[in-house]
Amino acid sequence: MGALAEGQLNPNVSEITSGGGGRGSAAGTMENAVKILLMGLGEDSEREGLKKTPMRVAKAFRDGTRGYKQKVDDIVHGALFPEAGLDHGAGQAGGTGGLVVVRDINLFSYCESCLLPFSIKCHVGYVPSGQRVVGLSKLSRVADVYAKRLQEPQRLADEICQALQNSIQPAGVSVALQCWHIQFPEALKCNLDPMHPSRSSTQGWMHTSVCSNTGVFDQKKSSFRDEFQTLLKFSSVSFGLDNVSSLIHSWCPSRSIHVPESKGHISNGRICYRPVVSHAAMVAAVASMIVSLGEDPSRKELVGTPYRYVHWLMNFSRSNTDTRPQNGSVVDAMDSHGSSNGYIYGESEMRSELNLPFCAQCEHHLLPFHGVVHIGYFQDGERRAIDRSSLQAMVHLYGCKLQVQERLTRQIAEAVYSVLGRGVMVVVEANHVCMISRGIEKVGSSTATVAVMGQFSTDITAKALFLETISKVTAAAAAAAAVIFSVS
């Protein structure tokens, strides 16, 4: 670790051990690697807020890949129970003769192409045989074992399906996955409709659906497959159950990134890299993290992963945000036509811009959080409204760095207030991947933070009106989405 501990690579060869001395050694390797990543981002790992980041990131990665150390037999063993029904085979007689389905299992896994977590909604169906059923909770636990590994959707579905088939030995198993992968910041910024709030934790994400079938589900014109699909529709899930996926080739946005050919090699559990790309020390550090997790960076699916992960992180480099926008440039961009989706509080000339999308990186866990920013401000009677694109530029500036949501909210408010000087209110709504992909797994949770300056600090009526405006637009968007869903 000597060369990496200094954030540098030996121009000849730098070796990173896999931490074979035990869990503590592996954890130390990962923490040192994270420090190198922070240095590469231009950050000081000793500043308040980042001191414990290496430990938190290492723990998050270990927890998120704990499936490598788990065995399905340990979960299923002792959880098979006798149940009355057919003596042999499968049929429609009830007991062990019918279909058993567990829907909407919320999972998270780490994408093997870029190391970013992706969201999964898993649905499992099986037809018991031999007068045996398995405890229902075991289906979700087996799915979690394989989700807690570096994965891609189709392989994940196949592994869950085959593991259940081998361990339970039913008449057949079907696994259907809906998966969402976060976009890169620029793509997320462009994809969201400004009139529709980002209430969904997966709005603007790449989506794919995959299936895997065995036994009676893999037969043509299978009645069990039809029943499973119908039961999924009860839960508003609709897609075919063939062994094909949609958009799988464009599943991970980072796959479009050109990865320079590396002259590094794997030898006896040790990774050797030569500095053939920029940020070579960061790339080598990520490779060491992959080894510490128990994976093989030479596996063809992982060869470009360290480079892609570093590419993601560099979206949040301090060098991107060293220059604060000058007031003059914002004033020059003021628009005489007013805001594109704002509401005006006539007496006090209050305007609002809603649903400005952003993507930032949590500085505590190096995981993304994303959502929308709502800005209300009092317009100077002698000035025109600020152009929406200028406010979006401010949001993007402060979002593309290592952040916490409270600080992001305050910084945006201060930036807008420095231009207008009358009154500003900023509301940030966000979904934090670190809240839902780590141990606590609070799926569906979201956060909201508020910052007020100037006239908004004392004008209670204006504050209430601005919050009501956000609520009305949100309700209207939700109603429109419901109509679209019912028609489709």
Side-chain angles (χ1 to χ4, degrees):
M1 277 297 296
L4 283 179
E6 298 173 359
Q8 300 175 348
L9 279 177
N10 186 305
N12 297 317
V13 123
S14 180
E15 296 186 339
I16 311 167
T17 65
S18 63
R23 181 180 179 121
S25 177
T29 298
M30 291 192 69
E31 291 180 16
N32 288 334
V34 175
K35 289 181 180 179
I36 293 168
L37 297 179
L38 293 174
M39 291 170 60
L41 293 174
E43 293 282 358
D44 178 8
S45 61
E46 294 302 315
R47 78 166 170 84
E48 197 62 38
L50 290 180
K51 287 182 178 179
K52 294 185 178 180
T53 293
M55 177 269 294
R56 294 189 186 104
V57 173
K59 184 177 186 299
F61 269 113
R62 289 198 305 272
D63 288 346
T65 57
R66 63 179 181 270
Y68 287 116
K69 299 180 180 180
Q70 295 176 318
K71 296 181 179 179
V72 171
D73 287 344
D74 294 337
I75 295 173
V76 176
H77 180 70
L80 290 170
F81 306 101
E83 185 62 40
L86 296 181
D87 291 334
H88 304 286
Q92 306 294 334
T96 60
L99 176 63
V100 180
V101 178
V102 176
R103 300 171 295 195
D104 300 325
I105 304 170
N106 290 304
L107 303 169
F108 270 82
S109 187
Y110 280 93
C111 173
E112 67 181 7
S113 295
C114 65
L115 296 188
L116 293 177
F118 64 93
S119 171
I120 306 156
K121 196 169 285 290
C122 174
H123 317 279
V124 178
Y126 82 101
V127 178
S129 66
Q131 297 192 11
R132 296 186 308 172
V133 296
V134 68
L136 294 177
S137 66
K138 307 306 179 185
L139 299 178
S140 61
R141 289 189 61 190
V142 170
D144 189 63
V145 167
Y146 291 97
K148 293 299 184 288
R149 301 179 183 186
L150 303 186
Q151 283 288 7
E152 63 88 19
Q154 188 60 61
R155 187 174 72 248
L156 175 58
D158 291 342
E159 289 182 344
I160 296 172
C161 188
Q162 198 58 53
L164 290 173
Q165 181 67 43
N166 293 340
S167 60
I168 303 174
Q169 297 183 348
V173 177
S174 185
V175 175
L177 304 181
Q178 297 167 282
C179 304
W180 293 267
H181 192 303
I182 194 169
Q183 284 275 22
F184 275 53
E186 284 297 329
L188 188 69
K189 173 182 171 183
C190 297
N191 281 351
L192 294 185
D193 184 339
M195 292 303 294
H196 292 77
S198 181
R199 288 287 186 181
S200 169
S201 63
T202 55
Q203 183 174 349
W205 290 32
M206 298 294 294
H207 172 257
T208 191
S209 299
V210 296
C211 299
S212 186
N213 305 306
T214 62
V216 294
F217 291 96
D218 207 21
Q219 300 171 2
K220 291 184 177 180
K221 297 182 179 180
S222 168
S223 62
F224 289 105
R225 183 188 298 193
D226 294 339
E227 290 175 19
F228 184 35
Q229 189 167 357
T230 300
L231 289 171
L232 292 187
K233 288 181 179 178
F234 291 174
S235 189
S236 301
V237 179
S238 179
F239 55 85
L241 297 179
D242 297 318
N243 288 311
V244 296
S245 61
S246 60
L247 299 178
I248 195 65
H249 294 296
S250 59
W251 156 249
C252 175
S254 74
R255 296 296 297 181
S256 62
I257 298 172
H258 172 68
V259 179
E261 183 177 354
S262 174
K263 297 180 181 178
H265 63 279
I266 310 297
S267 176
N268 298 325
R270 301 172 75 85
I271 309 174
C272 307
Y273 274 85
R274 298 178 189 277
V276 296
V277 297
S278 61
H279 315 302
M282 297 175 70
V283 173
V286 176
S288 76
M289 294 168 63
I290 293 175
V291 174
S292 296
L293 296 175
E295 261 288 4
D296 179 8
S298 67
R299 177 161 67 86
K300 67 177 183 177
E301 295 85 359
L302 294 175
V303 169
T305 298
Y307 183 89
R308 296 188 191 100
Y309 183 62
V310 170
H311 187 277
W312 162 269
L313 288 180
M314 293 310 294
N315 283 290
F316 309 97
S317 170
R318 285 190 64 86
S319 62
N320 297 337
T321 57
D322 286 342
T323 304
R324 179 171 175 158
Q326 299 298 313
N327 292 356
S329 63
V330 175
V331 173
D332 291 341
M334 288 185 170
D335 182 5
S336 60
H337 298 290
S339 57
S340 60
N341 70 334
Y343 286 72
I344 303 175
Y345 180 31
E347 295 181 2
S348 301
E349 298 177 332
M350 185 189 85
R351 291 182 177 270
S352 61
E353 282 291 351
L354 310 180
N355 305 318
L356 297 159
F358 78 93
C359 181
Q361 190 86 336
C362 169
E363 70 177 31
H364 294 157
H365 302 97
L366 295 190
L367 289 171
F369 66 98
H370 63 98
V372 291
V373 178
H374 312 292
I375 301 175
Y377 63 93
F378 284 98
Q379 178 186 350
D380 191 326
E382 299 178 357
R383 292 183 178 179
R384 295 168 292 179
I386 299 179
D387 179 76
R388 178 181 175 87
S389 63
S390 297
L391 292 175
Q392 180 68 76
M394 284 187 181
V395 170
H396 187 66
L397 176 77
Y398 292 107
C400 278
K401 61 192 301 185
L402 300 189
Q403 273 287 14
V404 295
Q405 185 173 334
E406 298 87 342
R407 184 192 308 140
L408 174 64
T409 309
R410 174 179 56 80
Q411 288 178 336
I412 294 172
E414 290 175 345
V416 177
Y417 187 70
S418 69
V419 175
L420 298 173
R422 282 194 59 188
V424 174
M425 182 171 180
V426 174
V427 177
V428 176
E429 296 183 278
N431 296 95
H432 290 248
V433 174
C434 61
M435 284 281 288
I436 52 182
S437 68
R438 299 185 305 113
I440 52 175
E441 296 187 356
K442 298 300 181 185
V443 176
S445 64
S446 62
T447 58
T449 49
V450 179
V452 294
M453 301 187 73
Q455 189 170 338
F456 271 104
S457 301
T458 56
D459 193 335
I460 298 177
T461 302
K463 289 173 64 176
L465 179 62
F466 178 53
L467 293 175
E468 183 180 356
T469 298
I470 298 173
S471 179
K472 285 181 178 179
V473 172
T474 299
V483 170
I484 293 173
F485 176 78
S486 63
V487 171
S488 62

Short mmCIF file of all heavy atoms in Angstrom, two decimals, residues 443-465:
data_model
loop_
_atom_site.label_atom_id
_atom_site.label_comp_id
_atom_site.label_asym_id
_atom_site.label_seq_id
_atom_site.Cartn_x
_atom_site.Cartn_y
_atom_site.Cartn_z
N VAL A 443 -36.51 2.18 2.21
CA VAL A 443 -37.02 2.32 0.86
C VAL A 443 -38.24 3.24 0.87
O VAL A 443 -39.13 3.10 1.70
CB VAL A 443 -37.38 0.95 0.28
CG1 VAL A 443 -38.00 1.08 -1.10
CG2 VAL A 443 -36.15 0.05 0.24
N GLY A 444 -38.27 4.16 -0.08
CA GLY A 444 -39.40 5.07 -0.20
C GLY A 444 -39.25 6.35 0.60
O GLY A 444 -40.08 7.25 0.48
N SER A 445 -38.21 6.45 1.41
CA SER A 445 -38.02 7.65 2.22
C SER A 445 -37.47 8.78 1.35
O SER A 445 -36.80 8.56 0.35
CB SER A 445 -37.05 7.39 3.37
OG SER A 445 -35.76 7.08 2.87
N SER A 446 -37.80 10.00 1.72
CA SER A 446 -37.27 11.17 1.03
C SER A 446 -37.05 12.27 2.06
O SER A 446 -37.57 12.19 3.18
CB SER A 446 -38.23 11.66 -0.07
OG SER A 446 -39.47 12.06 0.48
N THR A 447 -36.29 13.28 1.70
CA THR A 447 -35.97 14.36 2.63
C THR A 447 -36.31 15.71 2.01
O THR A 447 -36.28 15.87 0.80
CB THR A 447 -34.48 14.35 3.00
OG1 THR A 447 -33.71 14.49 1.79
CG2 THR A 447 -34.08 13.04 3.67
N ALA A 448 -36.64 16.65 2.87
CA ALA A 448 -36.92 18.02 2.43
C ALA A 448 -36.22 18.98 3.38
O ALA A 448 -36.25 18.79 4.60
CB ALA A 448 -38.42 18.29 2.41
N THR A 449 -35.55 19.97 2.82
CA THR A 449 -34.87 20.99 3.62
C THR A 449 -35.27 22.36 3.11
O THR A 449 -35.58 22.54 1.93
CB THR A 449 -33.34 20.83 3.55
OG1 THR A 449 -32.94 20.69 2.17
CG2 THR A 449 -32.87 19.61 4.32
N VAL A 450 -35.25 23.35 4.02
CA VAL A 450 -35.72 24.70 3.69
C VAL A 450 -34.68 25.72 4.16
O VAL A 450 -34.08 25.56 5.23
CB VAL A 450 -37.07 25.00 4.37
CG1 VAL A 450 -37.53 26.42 4.04
CG2 VAL A 450 -38.12 23.99 3.95
N ALA A 451 -34.47 26.75 3.35
CA ALA A 451 -33.63 27.89 3.75
C ALA A 451 -34.37 29.16 3.34
O ALA A 451 -34.91 29.26 2.24
CB ALA A 451 -32.26 27.83 3.06
N VAL A 452 -34.42 30.14 4.25
CA VAL A 452 -35.09 31.42 3.97
C VAL A 452 -34.13 32.56 4.28
O VAL A 452 -33.33 32.48 5.22
CB VAL A 452 -36.39 31.59 4.79
CG1 VAL A 452 -37.42 30.57 4.37
CG2 VAL A 452 -36.11 31.46 6.28
N MET A 453 -34.21 33.61 3.50
CA MET A 453 -33.38 34.79 3.70
C MET A 453 -34.20 36.04 3.36
O MET A 453 -35.12 36.01 2.54
CB MET A 453 -32.12 34.74 2.83
CG MET A 453 -31.23 33.53 3.09
SD MET A 453 -29.65 33.61 2.21
CE MET A 453 -28.81 34.88 3.17
N GLY A 454 -33.85 37.16 3.99
CA GLY A 454 -34.48 38.44 3.67
C GLY A 454 -35.95 38.47 4.01
O GLY A 454 -36.37 38.02 5.09
N GLN A 455 -36.77 38.97 3.11
CA GLN A 455 -38.18 39.22 3.38
C GLN A 455 -38.94 37.94 3.74
O GLN A 455 -39.92 37.99 4.49
CB GLN A 455 -38.83 39.89 2.15
CG GLN A 455 -40.25 40.39 2.40
CD GLN A 455 -40.76 41.25 1.25
OE1 GLN A 455 -39.96 41.80 0.49
NE2 GLN A 455 -42.07 41.38 1.14
N PHE A 456 -38.50 36.80 3.21
CA PHE A 456 -39.18 35.54 3.54
C PHE A 456 -39.02 35.20 5.02
O PHE A 456 -39.81 34.42 5.57
CB PHE A 456 -38.61 34.40 2.69
CG PHE A 456 -39.31 34.22 1.38
CD1 PHE A 456 -38.73 34.65 0.21
CD2 PHE A 456 -40.57 33.63 1.32
CE1 PHE A 456 -39.37 34.48 -1.01
CE2 PHE A 456 -41.22 33.46 0.11
CZ PHE A 456 -40.62 33.89 -1.06
N SER A 457 -38.01 35.76 5.66
CA SER A 457 -37.79 35.47 7.08
C SER A 457 -38.89 36.04 7.96
O SER A 457 -39.14 35.54 9.07
CB SER A 457 -36.44 36.03 7.53
OG SER A 457 -35.38 35.48 6.77
N THR A 458 -39.57 37.07 7.48
CA THR A 458 -40.60 37.74 8.29
C THR A 458 -41.99 37.68 7.68
O THR A 458 -42.98 37.90 8.38
CB THR A 458 -40.22 39.21 8.50
OG1 THR A 458 -40.04 39.85 7.23
CG2 THR A 458 -38.92 39.32 9.30
N ASP A 459 -42.10 37.41 6.41
CA ASP A 459 -43.39 37.40 5.72
C ASP A 459 -43.98 36.00 5.75
O ASP A 459 -43.73 35.17 4.86
CB ASP A 459 -43.22 37.88 4.27
CG ASP A 459 -44.55 38.19 3.59
OD1 ASP A 459 -45.57 37.63 4.02
OD2 ASP A 459 -44.55 39.00 2.65
N ILE A 460 -44.77 35.71 6.77
CA ILE A 460 -45.35 34.38 6.94
C ILE A 460 -46.31 34.04 5.80
O ILE A 460 -46.38 32.91 5.34
CB ILE A 460 -46.08 34.29 8.30
CG1 ILE A 460 -45.08 34.50 9.44
CG2 ILE A 460 -46.77 32.94 8.45
CD1 ILE A 460 -45.71 34.51 10.81
N THR A 461 -47.05 35.04 5.33
CA THR A 461 -48.00 34.82 4.25
C THR A 461 -47.29 34.39 2.98
O THR A 461 -47.73 33.47 2.28
CB THR A 461 -48.80 36.11 3.97
OG1 THR A 461 -49.47 36.51 5.17
CG2 THR A 461 -49.82 35.88 2.86
N ALA A 462 -46.17 35.02 2.66
CA ALA A 462 -45.42 34.66 1.46
C ALA A 462 -44.86 33.25 1.57
O ALA A 462 -44.88 32.49 0.59
CB ALA A 462 -44.29 35.66 1.23
N LYS A 463 -44.36 32.89 2.74
CA LYS A 463 -43.83 31.54 2.94
C LYS A 463 -44.92 30.50 2.70
O LYS A 463 -44.72 29.51 2.00
CB LYS A 463 -43.25 31.39 4.35
CG LYS A 463 -41.96 32.15 4.57
CD LYS A 463 -41.54 32.10 6.04
CE LYS A 463 -41.21 30.72 6.51
NZ LYS A 463 -40.70 30.72 7.90
N ALA A 464 -46.10 30.76 3.29
CA ALA A 464 -47.20 29.81 3.14
C ALA A 464 -47.65 29.70 1.69
O ALA A 464 -47.95 28.60 1.20
CB ALA A 464 -48.37 30.24 4.03
N LEU A 465 -47.68 30.82 0.99
CA LEU A 465 -48.10 30.82 -0.42
C LEU A 465 -47.12 30.04 -1.28
O LEU A 465 -47.52 29.27 -2.17
CB LEU A 465 -48.22 32.26 -0.93
CG LEU A 465 -48.63 32.40 -2.40
CD1 LEU A 465 -50.00 31.81 -2.63
CD2 LEU A 465 -48.60 33.87 -2.83
#
